[in-house]
C-alpha cells in the first residue's frame, strides 16, 4: 500500500481529536519511563454506566478480581432492538481496547461509544475488558487479565451474564494494542482445555499493534502521520516489555522466530482471523506481515484494507470507512456463525 502524502483529507473535528490525543500522549509520557497519571486521568473523558437501559441496551460493570482492579463492561442488547426472536441467542464479542497498553480503559468515552455501537449494529453481546496498564504493570499482565476474563465467564462466576449469550459463538476483538492482546489470548485459548463451553470462532484485529527492531517502509514514509509515530511506539514498547527486552520479543514481533511460527502452526483450534489495515497507518507493514504469517502457518486469515484510513479511524463515526468496517464485521460474524452451524 503506497500513499504520496502522510495525511489524508479529514474533517476538522477528526483532525482536532487526533491532534489532541497525540499531544496528550506526548505530555503525559515522562523521560524516566513513567506516565503522569494525574494529568492523564484528568483529561481522559470516561462514561458512567446508565441506571436504566438506553435504547434497549443494558450496560453494567462486572468485577473479576478486585485486588488487581480487573473488571469488564457488559453490553447486552435486548432482543426487541436486535430484530430477533427472544428465543434466539446472540454471539459474544470479547473486546480489548487499544492505547499502547498504557492508555484508556473500558470506561473511556471513545471505547464506550464504540462498544455501544458494536452491540446495537452487530446484534452482539459485548464484553469490554478493563486490563491493567503499563508501565506500572508490564508484560504479560495485560494478556493474563484478558484471558482471566474468558475463564471467569466460562466458569459462570457472573450471575448477571445474559442467558441468551451464545458462548459457542465467541469472537475475540481488539484494536491497536488490544489487537495485539487479542492475538496472544487467542493463542492461549487454542492451547487450553479450561474453555469447554466457550468457543472462540473468530479473531478480529483492527489495526493491531505489532512491531520489531526493523524500521519498515510504512513507518518511515508515514512518520508524520497523525497519532502514531516511531518515537511514541518505541516508548510504549519499552514501557510494556520486560527489562532488557528489545522489539523482537515474541509479544511484539509475532512471527520473528521459527519457534513462534512452529507454535502457531501446531494450534489446530486457532480461530479464523480478520485483519483490518489502514493506508495511512504507519503500522500497516507489520500488520500485513502478521496476516502473511498466519497464512504461512496454514491458518484462515482475511485481510481488509482501507486505503484512506488513519490509525483509530473506527472511533470516528463521521468517517465513511467506519461504516464500511461495521458492514465488514457483520459479514464476518454471519459467515462464521453459518460455518459453525
Amino acid at each position: 500500500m503506497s500513499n504520496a502524502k502522510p495525511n489524508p483529507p479529514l474533517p476538522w473535528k477528526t483532525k482536532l481529536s487526533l491532534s489532541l490525543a497525540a499531544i496528550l500522549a506526548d505530555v503525559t509520557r515522562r523521560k524516566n519511563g513513567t506516565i503522569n497519571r494525574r494529568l492523564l486521568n484528568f483529561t481522559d473523558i470516561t462514561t458512567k454506566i446508565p441506571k436504566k437501559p438506553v435504547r434497549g441496551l443494558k450496560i453494567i460493570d462486572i468485577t473479576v478480581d478486585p485486588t488487581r482492579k480487573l473488571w469488564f463492561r457488559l453490553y447486552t442488547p435486548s432482543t426487541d432492538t436486535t430484530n430477533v426472536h427472544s428465543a434466539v441467542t446472540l454471539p459474544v464479542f470479547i473486546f480489548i481496547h487499544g492505547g499502547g497498553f498504557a492508555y484508556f480503559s473500558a470506561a473511556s468515552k471513545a471505547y464506550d461509544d464504540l462498544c455501544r455501537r458494536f452491540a446495537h449494529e452487530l446484534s452482539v453481546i459485548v464484553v469490554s475488558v478493563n486490563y491493567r496498564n503499563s508501565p506500572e504493570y508490564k508484560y504479560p499482565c495485560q494478556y493474563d487479565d484478558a484471558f482471566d476474563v474468558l475463564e471467569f465467564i466460562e466458569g459462570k462466576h457472573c450471575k448477571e451474564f445474559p442467558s441468551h449469550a451464545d458462548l459457542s459463538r465467541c469472537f475475540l476483538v481488539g484494536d491497536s494494542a488490544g489487537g495485539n492482546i487479542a492475538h496472544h489470548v487467542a493463542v492461549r485459548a487454542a492451547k487450553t482445555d479450561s474453555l469447554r463451553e466457550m468457543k472462540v470462532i473468530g479473531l478480529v484485529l483492527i489495526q493491531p499493534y505489532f512491531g520489531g527492531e526493523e524500521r519498515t517502509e510504512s513507518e518511515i514514509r508515514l512518520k508524520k502521520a497523525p497519532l502514531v509515530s516511531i518515537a511514541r511506539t518505541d516508548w510504549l514498547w519499552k514501557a510494556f516489555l520486560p527489562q532488557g527486552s528489545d522489539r523482537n520479543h515474541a509479544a511484539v514481533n509475532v512471527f520473528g522466530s521459527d519457534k513462534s511460527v512452529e507454535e502457531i502452526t501446531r494450534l489446530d483450534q486457532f480461530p479464523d482471523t480478520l485483519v483490518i489495515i489502514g493506508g495511512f497507518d504507519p503500522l500497516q507493514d507489520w500488520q500485513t506481515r502478521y496476516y502473511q504469517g498466519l497464512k504461512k502457518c496454514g491458518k484462515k486469515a482475511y485481510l481488509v484494507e482501507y486505503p484512506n484510513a488513519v490509525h483509530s479511524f473506527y472511533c470516528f463515526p463521521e468517517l465513511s470507512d467506519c461504516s464500511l468496517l461495521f458492514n465488514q464485521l457483520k459479514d464476518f460474524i454471519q459467515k462464521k456463525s453459518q460455518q459453525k452451524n
Side-chain angles (χ1 to χ4, degrees), residues 18-29 35 99-103 209 215 219 222-240 247 282-283 311:
L18 289 170
S19 296
L20 290 175
I23 292 171
L24 180 62
D26 290 339
V27 299
T28 55
R29 288 184 291 118
I35 287 178
F101 307 103
Y103 296 98
Y209 186 31
R215 299 301 187 196
E219 285 177 307
L222 296 170
K223 61 183 179 181
K224 293 184 179 181
L227 197 57
V228 175
S229 70
I230 288 176
R232 294 186 192 109
T233 57
D234 281 0
W235 190 96
L236 289 167
W237 284 127
K238 188 174 182 180
F240 169 70
R247 293 187 304 276
L283 301 175
H311 195 80

Side-chain angles (χ1 to χ4, degrees), residues 13-14 17-18 117 311-319 322:
K13 180 181 177 182
T14 310
S17 296
L18 289 170
R117 191 174 178 188
H311 195 80
S312 75
F313 74 94
Y314 42 87
C315 289
F316 301 97
E318 65 269 20
L319 300 179
C322 183

Side-chain angles (χ1 to χ4, degrees), residues 63-280:
T63 298
V64 177
D65 183 353
T67 64
R68 50 179 157 149
K69 297 181 180 179
L70 176 59
W71 56 275
F72 62 85
R73 182 159 288 186
L74 179 65
Y75 302 78
T76 306
S78 71
T79 51
D80 292 337
T81 62
T82 56
N83 298 317
V84 296
H85 189 271
S86 60
V88 176
T89 58
L90 297 180
V92 178
F93 247 39
I94 299 174
F95 178 73
I96 308 171
H97 70 81
F101 307 103
Y103 296 98
F104 302 117
S105 73
S108 294
K109 187 178 186 306
Y111 284 112
D112 182 71
D113 289 347
L114 183 63
C115 288
R116 292 183 190 215
R117 191 174 178 188
F118 282 152
H120 276 302
E121 297 191 20
L122 303 179
S123 297
V124 295
I125 292 166
V126 180
V127 172
S128 182
V129 180
N130 192 75
Y131 55 85
R132 290 170 290 177
N133 290 134
S134 64
E136 293 88 347
Y137 300 95
K138 291 179 174 285
Y139 164 93
C141 290
Q142 294 74 13
Y143 301 162
D144 293 341
D145 288 352
F147 185 75
D148 287 351
V149 168
L150 268 63
E151 291 197 314
F152 180 84
I153 295 171
E154 166 73 26
K156 298 187 178 352
H157 298 296
C158 176
K159 295 181 180 179
E160 298 90 346
F161 210 77
S163 59
H164 61 292
D166 186 353
L167 291 181
S168 70
R169 286 191 293 154
C170 280
F171 293 82
L172 270 173
V173 187
D175 76 297
S176 196
N180 177 297
I181 297 169
H183 161 79
H184 290 284
V185 171
V187 170
R188 291 192 185 187
K191 289 180 178 180
T192 187
D193 293 327
S194 64
L195 302 179
R196 298 179 180 179
E197 184 177 353
M198 178 181 289
K199 304 295 180 185
V200 179
I201 64 171
L203 176 62
V204 180
L205 305 188
I206 307 171
Q207 296 182 298
Y209 186 31
F210 297 121
E213 283 295 302
E214 175 192 348
R215 299 301 187 196
T216 66
E217 187 275 337
S218 64
E219 285 177 307
I220 296 171
R221 172 170 50 86
L222 296 170
K223 61 183 179 181
K224 293 184 179 181
L227 197 57
V228 175
S229 70
I230 288 176
R232 294 186 192 109
T233 57
D234 281 0
W235 190 96
L236 289 167
W237 284 127
K238 188 174 182 180
F240 169 70
L241 291 170
Q243 189 71 29
S245 299
D246 64 20
R247 293 187 304 276
N248 282 330
H249 189 283
V252 186
N253 194 351
V254 173
F255 294 106
S257 69
D258 292 338
K259 181 179 179 181
S260 296
V261 173
E262 292 171 1
E263 178 187 44
I264 295 176
T265 300
R266 291 194 301 267
L267 295 177
D268 295 333
Q269 301 303 315
F270 192 86
D272 293 2
T273 304
L274 178 65
V275 183
I276 307 297
I277 293 177
F280 285 90

